[in-house]
mmCIF file of all heavy atoms in Angstrom:
data_model
loop_
_atom_site.group_PDB
_atom_site.id
_atom_site.type_symbol
_atom_site.label_atom_id
_atom_site.label_comp_id
_atom_site.label_asym_id
_atom_site.label_seq_id
_atom_site.Cartn_x
_atom_site.Cartn_y
_atom_site.Cartn_z
ATOM 1 N N LEU I 17 -23.537 -9.281 -6.307
ATOM 2 C CA LEU I 17 -24.472 -9.144 -5.197
ATOM 3 C C LEU I 17 -23.986 -10.016 -4.053
ATOM 4 O O LEU I 17 -23.827 -11.219 -4.208
ATOM 5 C CB LEU I 17 -25.879 -9.576 -5.626
ATOM 6 C CG LEU I 17 -26.503 -8.751 -6.754
ATOM 7 C CD1 LEU I 17 -27.793 -9.396 -7.210
ATOM 8 C CD2 LEU I 17 -26.748 -7.326 -6.307
ATOM 9 N N ASN I 18 -23.713 -9.432 -2.901
ATOM 10 C CA ASN I 18 -23.173 -10.148 -1.775
ATOM 11 C C ASN I 18 -24.063 -9.955 -0.564
ATOM 12 O O ASN I 18 -24.863 -9.039 -0.505
ATOM 13 C CB ASN I 18 -21.755 -9.660 -1.457
ATOM 14 C CG ASN I 18 -20.782 -10.009 -2.566
ATOM 15 O OD1 ASN I 18 -20.200 -11.075 -2.570
ATOM 16 N ND2 ASN I 18 -20.624 -9.104 -3.528
ATOM 17 N N ALA I 19 -23.878 -10.829 0.420
ATOM 18 C CA ALA I 19 -24.727 -10.745 1.610
ATOM 19 C C ALA I 19 -23.968 -11.136 2.868
ATOM 20 O O ALA I 19 -24.529 -11.703 3.773
ATOM 21 C CB ALA I 19 -25.932 -11.669 1.433
ATOM 22 N N SER I 44 -28.610 -2.182 -8.408
ATOM 23 C CA SER I 44 -28.812 -3.470 -7.754
ATOM 24 C C SER I 44 -29.784 -3.322 -6.600
ATOM 25 O O SER I 44 -29.812 -2.279 -5.929
ATOM 26 C CB SER I 44 -27.488 -4.030 -7.233
ATOM 27 O OG SER I 44 -26.574 -4.246 -8.283
ATOM 28 N N VAL I 45 -30.587 -4.345 -6.376
ATOM 29 C CA VAL I 45 -31.578 -4.358 -5.308
ATOM 30 C C VAL I 45 -31.432 -5.652 -4.530
ATOM 31 O O VAL I 45 -31.268 -6.730 -5.129
ATOM 32 C CB VAL I 45 -33.012 -4.248 -5.869
ATOM 33 C CG1 VAL I 45 -34.028 -4.299 -4.732
ATOM 34 C CG2 VAL I 45 -33.182 -2.971 -6.676
ATOM 35 N N MET I 46 -31.461 -5.561 -3.207
ATOM 36 C CA MET I 46 -31.394 -6.751 -2.367
ATOM 37 C C MET I 46 -32.622 -6.798 -1.475
ATOM 38 O O MET I 46 -32.909 -5.855 -0.723
ATOM 39 C CB MET I 46 -30.135 -6.731 -1.504
ATOM 40 C CG MET I 46 -29.943 -8.000 -0.696
ATOM 41 S SD MET I 46 -29.544 -9.446 -1.716
ATOM 42 C CE MET I 46 -27.840 -9.093 -2.111
ATOM 43 N N ASP I 47 -33.372 -7.875 -1.579
ATOM 44 C CA ASP I 47 -34.568 -8.094 -0.769
ATOM 45 C C ASP I 47 -34.288 -9.280 0.144
ATOM 46 O O ASP I 47 -34.231 -10.423 -0.317
ATOM 47 C CB ASP I 47 -35.773 -8.363 -1.667
ATOM 48 C CG ASP I 47 -37.069 -8.461 -0.877
ATOM 49 O OD1 ASP I 47 -37.055 -8.144 0.334
ATOM 50 O OD2 ASP I 47 -38.094 -8.869 -1.461
ATOM 51 N N SER I 48 -34.079 -9.020 1.427
ATOM 52 C CA SER I 48 -33.666 -10.057 2.373
ATOM 53 C C SER I 48 -34.748 -10.351 3.391
ATOM 54 O O SER I 48 -35.582 -9.502 3.711
ATOM 55 C CB SER I 48 -32.390 -9.640 3.110
ATOM 56 O OG SER I 48 -31.326 -9.409 2.227
ATOM 57 N N SER I 49 -34.711 -11.561 3.917
ATOM 58 C CA SER I 49 -35.556 -11.963 5.031
ATOM 59 C C SER I 49 -34.646 -12.410 6.164
ATOM 60 O O SER I 49 -33.925 -13.396 6.037
ATOM 61 C CB SER I 49 -36.488 -13.109 4.626
ATOM 62 O OG SER I 49 -37.208 -13.589 5.750
ATOM 63 N N ASN I 69 -34.460 -4.320 5.896
ATOM 64 C CA ASN I 69 -35.107 -3.450 4.929
ATOM 65 C C ASN I 69 -34.536 -3.705 3.543
ATOM 66 O O ASN I 69 -33.340 -3.967 3.392
ATOM 67 C CB ASN I 69 -34.896 -1.977 5.302
ATOM 68 C CG ASN I 69 -35.599 -1.587 6.582
ATOM 69 O OD1 ASN I 69 -36.708 -2.030 6.843
ATOM 70 N ND2 ASN I 69 -34.953 -0.759 7.392
ATOM 71 N N SER I 70 -35.381 -3.661 2.534
ATOM 72 C CA SER I 70 -34.890 -3.801 1.162
ATOM 73 C C SER I 70 -33.925 -2.651 0.868
ATOM 74 O O SER I 70 -34.157 -1.509 1.258
ATOM 75 C CB SER I 70 -36.050 -3.777 0.170
ATOM 76 O OG SER I 70 -36.899 -4.894 0.359
ATOM 77 N N SER I 71 -32.837 -2.972 0.192
ATOM 78 C CA SER I 71 -31.839 -1.952 -0.105
ATOM 79 C C SER I 71 -31.517 -1.952 -1.595
ATOM 80 O O SER I 71 -31.678 -2.961 -2.281
ATOM 81 C CB SER I 71 -30.558 -2.201 0.706
ATOM 82 O OG SER I 71 -30.029 -3.485 0.432
ATOM 83 N N TRP I 73 -28.643 -0.002 -4.543
ATOM 84 C CA TRP I 73 -27.464 0.841 -4.688
ATOM 85 C C TRP I 73 -27.064 0.932 -6.160
ATOM 86 O O TRP I 73 -27.076 -0.042 -6.884
ATOM 87 C CB TRP I 73 -26.300 0.326 -3.843
ATOM 88 C CG TRP I 73 -25.898 -1.090 -4.096
ATOM 89 C CD1 TRP I 73 -24.908 -1.536 -4.934
ATOM 90 C CD2 TRP I 73 -26.448 -2.263 -3.487
ATOM 91 N NE1 TRP I 73 -24.814 -2.901 -4.894
ATOM 92 C CE2 TRP I 73 -25.749 -3.383 -4.011
ATOM 93 C CE3 TRP I 73 -27.469 -2.484 -2.548
ATOM 94 C CZ2 TRP I 73 -26.034 -4.688 -3.634
ATOM 95 C CZ3 TRP I 73 -27.738 -3.788 -2.184
ATOM 96 C CH2 TRP I 73 -27.035 -4.868 -2.710
ATOM 97 N N TYR I 395 -24.616 -19.521 0.640
ATOM 98 C CA TYR I 395 -24.466 -20.138 -0.680
ATOM 99 C C TYR I 395 -25.429 -19.401 -1.603
ATOM 100 O O TYR I 395 -26.466 -18.899 -1.165
ATOM 101 C CB TYR I 395 -24.817 -21.627 -0.646
ATOM 102 C CG TYR I 395 -23.833 -22.463 0.143
ATOM 103 C CD1 TYR I 395 -24.046 -22.750 1.481
ATOM 104 C CD2 TYR I 395 -22.689 -22.979 -0.466
ATOM 105 C CE1 TYR I 395 -23.158 -23.512 2.209
ATOM 106 C CE2 TYR I 395 -21.786 -23.742 0.253
ATOM 107 C CZ TYR I 395 -22.024 -24.008 1.589
ATOM 108 O OH TYR I 395 -21.133 -24.760 2.315
ATOM 109 N N ASN I 396 -25.091 -19.338 -2.887
ATOM 110 C CA ASN I 396 -26.008 -18.680 -3.807
ATOM 111 C C ASN I 396 -25.991 -19.347 -5.172
ATOM 112 O O ASN I 396 -25.048 -20.064 -5.532
ATOM 113 C CB ASN I 396 -25.693 -17.188 -3.936
ATOM 114 C CG ASN I 396 -24.422 -16.918 -4.715
ATOM 115 O OD1 ASN I 396 -24.299 -17.267 -5.884
ATOM 116 N ND2 ASN I 396 -23.446 -16.277 -4.079
ATOM 117 N N VAL I 397 -27.051 -19.094 -5.924
ATOM 118 C CA VAL I 397 -27.148 -19.525 -7.317
ATOM 119 C C VAL I 397 -27.810 -18.392 -8.090
ATOM 120 O O VAL I 397 -28.677 -17.694 -7.552
ATOM 121 C CB VAL I 397 -27.958 -20.832 -7.454
ATOM 122 C CG1 VAL I 397 -29.383 -20.651 -6.955
ATOM 123 C CG2 VAL I 397 -27.940 -21.341 -8.880
ATOM 124 N N GLY I 398 -27.356 -18.177 -9.307
ATOM 125 C CA GLY I 398 -27.900 -17.059 -10.064
ATOM 126 C C GLY I 398 -27.969 -17.325 -11.555
ATOM 127 O O GLY I 398 -27.301 -18.233 -12.082
ATOM 128 N N GLY I 414 -30.015 -9.741 -14.115
ATOM 129 C CA GLY I 414 -29.881 -11.049 -13.505
ATOM 130 C C GLY I 414 -30.519 -11.096 -12.141
ATOM 131 O O GLY I 414 -30.955 -10.078 -11.588
ATOM 132 N N VAL I 415 -30.552 -12.278 -11.590
ATOM 133 C CA VAL I 415 -31.116 -12.502 -10.264
ATOM 134 C C VAL I 415 -30.294 -13.569 -9.555
ATOM 135 O O VAL I 415 -29.806 -14.513 -10.185
ATOM 136 C CB VAL I 415 -32.611 -12.898 -10.351
ATOM 137 C CG1 VAL I 415 -32.788 -14.175 -11.154
ATOM 138 C CG2 VAL I 415 -33.214 -13.035 -8.964
ATOM 139 N N LYS I 416 -30.100 -13.387 -8.254
ATOM 140 C CA LYS I 416 -29.402 -14.370 -7.426
ATOM 141 C C LYS I 416 -30.247 -14.691 -6.203
ATOM 142 O O LYS I 416 -30.872 -13.803 -5.604
ATOM 143 C CB LYS I 416 -28.053 -13.823 -6.958
ATOM 144 C CG LYS I 416 -26.883 -14.105 -7.880
ATOM 145 C CD LYS I 416 -25.574 -13.691 -7.212
ATOM 146 C CE LYS I 416 -24.387 -13.980 -8.118
ATOM 147 N NZ LYS I 416 -23.103 -13.607 -7.462
ATOM 148 N N TYR I 417 -30.198 -15.951 -5.814
ATOM 149 C CA TYR I 417 -30.863 -16.391 -4.585
ATOM 150 C C TYR I 417 -29.790 -16.814 -3.587
ATOM 151 O O TYR I 417 -28.899 -17.595 -3.922
ATOM 152 C CB TYR I 417 -31.814 -17.551 -4.852
ATOM 153 C CG TYR I 417 -32.617 -17.968 -3.638
ATOM 154 C CD1 TYR I 417 -33.836 -17.373 -3.358
ATOM 155 C CD2 TYR I 417 -32.137 -18.942 -2.760
ATOM 156 C CE1 TYR I 417 -34.569 -17.739 -2.234
ATOM 157 C CE2 TYR I 417 -32.852 -19.309 -1.637
ATOM 158 C CZ TYR I 417 -34.075 -18.708 -1.381
ATOM 159 O OH TYR I 417 -34.787 -19.062 -0.265
ATOM 160 N N PHE I 418 -29.883 -16.293 -2.348
ATOM 161 C CA PHE I 418 -28.896 -16.564 -1.308
ATOM 162 C C PHE I 418 -29.522 -17.380 -0.180
ATOM 163 O O PHE I 418 -30.561 -17.000 0.364
ATOM 164 C CB PHE I 418 -28.369 -15.259 -0.710
ATOM 165 C CG PHE I 418 -27.658 -14.364 -1.678
ATOM 166 C CD1 PHE I 418 -28.379 -13.515 -2.514
ATOM 167 C CD2 PHE I 418 -26.275 -14.341 -1.743
ATOM 168 C CE1 PHE I 418 -27.726 -12.667 -3.393
ATOM 169 C CE2 PHE I 418 -25.615 -13.499 -2.611
ATOM 170 C CZ PHE I 418 -26.332 -12.660 -3.449
ATOM 171 N N TRP I 419 -28.880 -18.479 0.179
ATOM 172 C CA TRP I 419 -29.209 -19.193 1.398
ATOM 173 C C TRP I 419 -28.269 -18.671 2.484
ATOM 174 O O TRP I 419 -27.066 -18.962 2.486
ATOM 175 C CB TRP I 419 -29.024 -20.690 1.228
ATOM 176 C CG TRP I 419 -30.012 -21.337 0.319
ATOM 177 C CD1 TRP I 419 -31.212 -21.895 0.651
ATOM 178 C CD2 TRP I 419 -29.883 -21.524 -1.107
ATOM 179 N NE1 TRP I 419 -31.840 -22.407 -0.454
ATOM 180 C CE2 TRP I 419 -31.041 -22.199 -1.558
ATOM 181 C CE3 TRP I 419 -28.904 -21.187 -2.050
ATOM 182 C CZ2 TRP I 419 -31.242 -22.539 -2.884
ATOM 183 C CZ3 TRP I 419 -29.098 -21.522 -3.371
ATOM 184 C CH2 TRP I 419 -30.257 -22.195 -3.780
ATOM 185 N N LEU I 420 -28.809 -17.892 3.429
ATOM 186 C CA LEU I 420 -27.983 -17.228 4.420
ATOM 187 C C LEU I 420 -27.657 -18.151 5.580
ATOM 188 O O LEU I 420 -28.517 -18.901 6.062
ATOM 189 C CB LEU I 420 -28.693 -15.970 4.936
ATOM 190 C CG LEU I 420 -29.101 -14.948 3.867
ATOM 191 C CD1 LEU I 420 -29.811 -13.771 4.518
ATOM 192 C CD2 LEU I 420 -27.895 -14.474 3.073
ATOM 193 N N ASN I 443 -32.741 -18.183 6.893
ATOM 194 C CA ASN I 443 -33.050 -16.929 6.219
ATOM 195 C C ASN I 443 -32.497 -16.907 4.801
ATOM 196 O O ASN I 443 -31.680 -17.755 4.422
ATOM 197 C CB ASN I 443 -32.488 -15.751 7.032
ATOM 198 C CG ASN I 443 -33.244 -15.530 8.325
ATOM 199 O OD1 ASN I 443 -34.454 -15.382 8.316
ATOM 200 N ND2 ASN I 443 -32.523 -15.517 9.445
ATOM 201 N N HIS I 444 -32.936 -15.931 4.026
ATOM 202 C CA HIS I 444 -32.545 -15.885 2.616
ATOM 203 C C HIS I 444 -32.556 -14.448 2.106
ATOM 204 O O HIS I 444 -33.091 -13.547 2.755
ATOM 205 C CB HIS I 444 -33.504 -16.728 1.769
ATOM 206 C CG HIS I 444 -34.891 -16.161 1.682
ATOM 207 N ND1 HIS I 444 -35.863 -16.456 2.617
ATOM 208 C CD2 HIS I 444 -35.464 -15.292 0.799
ATOM 209 C CE1 HIS I 444 -36.967 -15.802 2.314
ATOM 210 N NE2 HIS I 444 -36.760 -15.085 1.221
ATOM 211 N N SER I 445 -31.940 -14.267 0.948
ATOM 212 C CA SER I 445 -31.976 -12.990 0.237
ATOM 213 C C SER I 445 -32.174 -13.263 -1.247
ATOM 214 O O SER I 445 -31.777 -14.323 -1.755
ATOM 215 C CB SER I 445 -30.671 -12.206 0.425
ATOM 216 O OG SER I 445 -30.532 -11.730 1.736
ATOM 217 N N ILE I 446 -32.777 -12.302 -1.923
ATOM 218 C CA ILE I 446 -32.888 -12.340 -3.383
ATOM 219 C C ILE I 446 -32.321 -11.029 -3.913
ATOM 220 O O ILE I 446 -32.738 -9.951 -3.492
ATOM 221 C CB ILE I 446 -34.340 -12.524 -3.858
ATOM 222 C CG1 ILE I 446 -34.944 -13.802 -3.265
ATOM 223 C CG2 ILE I 446 -34.394 -12.581 -5.380
ATOM 224 C CD1 ILE I 446 -36.394 -14.018 -3.632
ATOM 225 N N GLY I 447 -31.350 -11.127 -4.804
ATOM 226 C CA GLY I 447 -30.741 -9.941 -5.383
ATOM 227 C C GLY I 447 -31.113 -9.795 -6.846
ATOM 228 O O GLY I 447 -31.153 -10.779 -7.596
ATOM 229 N N TYR I 448 -31.396 -8.562 -7.250
ATOM 230 C CA TYR I 448 -31.740 -8.257 -8.634
ATOM 231 C C TYR I 448 -30.771 -7.194 -9.152
ATOM 232 O O TYR I 448 -30.355 -6.309 -8.403
ATOM 233 C CB TYR I 448 -33.169 -7.713 -8.755
ATOM 234 C CG TYR I 448 -34.214 -8.542 -8.055
ATOM 235 C CD1 TYR I 448 -34.553 -8.289 -6.729
ATOM 236 C CD2 TYR I 448 -34.872 -9.573 -8.723
ATOM 237 C CE1 TYR I 448 -35.512 -9.037 -6.074
ATOM 238 C CE2 TYR I 448 -35.848 -10.324 -8.077
ATOM 239 C CZ TYR I 448 -36.159 -10.056 -6.757
ATOM 240 O OH TYR I 448 -37.108 -10.799 -6.108
ATOM 241 N N GLY I 449 -30.438 -7.275 -10.427
ATOM 242 C CA GLY I 449 -29.530 -6.287 -10.980
ATOM 243 C C GLY I 449 -29.859 -5.924 -12.414
ATOM 244 O O GLY I 449 -30.388 -6.751 -13.181
#
Side-chain angles (χ1 to χ4, degrees):
L17 298 172
N18 293 272
S44 299
V45 179
M46 185 69 75
D47 186 10
S48 301
S49 174
N69 293 321
S70 296
S71 58
W73 56 95
Y395 292 94
N396 72 61
V397 61
V415 60
K416 270 188 179 181
Y417 185 89
F418 298 82
W419 291 269
L420 304 179
N443 290 306
H444 68 272
S445 290
I446 303 177
Y448 310 90

